[in-house]
């Protein structure tokens, strides 16, 4: 049972699973923006083009007006931004927690002091400028 839990933890905390979850949540929030544009602007415009009088066009329970449509749309945009901000904060904390206890990887390259090119750390001569490198 313990091994199963460890495998599940390893699976659930992989980067691509977290990315997928974030994508689904952001996708849902973006769907709300698309629906708001459709319901608040496009549908009333099409109803007006088809001959409906302005007092006959409704958004939910209220009569359609530009200010009502704009305020509904701005609310949807603010909800999207809040969702994105909260997700960003959660992922930032998650990344910080996941690096606790891990040792940083040793560097595999260094810069040549003469030409500033990236070279292997074991190099004794620069492959770019052919300078002899000082021993470390």
């Amino acid at each position: 049972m313990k091994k199963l839990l460890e495998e599940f933890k390893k699976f659930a905390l992989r980067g691509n699973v977290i990315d997928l979850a974030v994508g689904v949540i952001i996708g849902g929030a973006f769907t709300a923006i698309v629906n708001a544009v459709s319901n608040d602007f496009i549908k009333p415009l099409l109803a007006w083009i088809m001959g409906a009088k302005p007092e006959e066009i409704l958004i939910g329970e209220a009569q359609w007006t530009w200010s009502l449509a704009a305020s509904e749309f701005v609310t949807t945009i603010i909800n999207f931004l809040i969702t994105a901000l909260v997700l960003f904060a959660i992922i930032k904390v998650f990344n910080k927690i996941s690096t606790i206890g891990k040792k940083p990887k040793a560097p595999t390259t260094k810069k040549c002091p003469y030409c500033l090119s990236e070279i292997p750390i074991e190099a004794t001569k620069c492959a770019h400028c052919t300078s002899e490198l000082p021993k470390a």
Side-chain angles (χ1 to χ4, degrees):
M1 185 68 169
K2 187 175 181 179
K3 183 178 178 184
L4 181 67
L5 287 175
E6 286 178 22
E7 287 179 19
F8 178 74
K9 180 181 170 186
K10 196 181 281 186
F11 165 76
L13 299 180
R14 277 195 323 211
N16 41 352
V17 174
I18 302 298
D19 293 342
L20 178 65
V22 169
V24 168
I25 294 169
I26 292 292
F30 191 73
T31 299
I33 291 175
V34 172
N35 287 338
V37 169
S38 174
N39 294 333
D40 296 342
F41 296 108
I42 295 174
K43 283 183 182 179
L45 182 63
L46 289 175
W48 179 72
I49 290 172
M50 299 303 262
K53 297 178 180 143
E55 59 271 4
E56 296 171 346
I57 301 171
L58 298 177
I59 293 180
E61 302 286 323
Q63 181 181 345
W64 185 88
T65 62
W66 279 109
S67 61
L68 175 64
S71 66
E72 292 284 330
F73 183 70
V74 168
T75 301
T76 304
I77 296 290
I78 291 171
N79 287 341
F80 175 81
L81 293 174
I82 290 171
T83 302
L85 181 66
V86 168
L87 274 175
F88 174 75
I90 289 171
I91 296 300
K92 194 90 166 143
V93 168
F94 174 78
N95 287 340
K96 191 73 164 175
I97 290 172
S98 67
T99 60
I100 292 175
K102 291 185 179 177
K103 295 180 182 176
K105 294 180 180 178
T108 58
T109 60
K110 62 182 176 181
K111 287 196 180 263
C112 172
Y114 303 105
C115 69
L116 301 178
S117 304
E118 289 284 324
I119 54 174
I121 203 150
E122 300 88 18
T124 57
K125 195 171 198 178
C126 179
H128 302 282
C129 68
T130 68
S131 297
E132 291 289 331
L133 300 174
K135 300 210 188 299

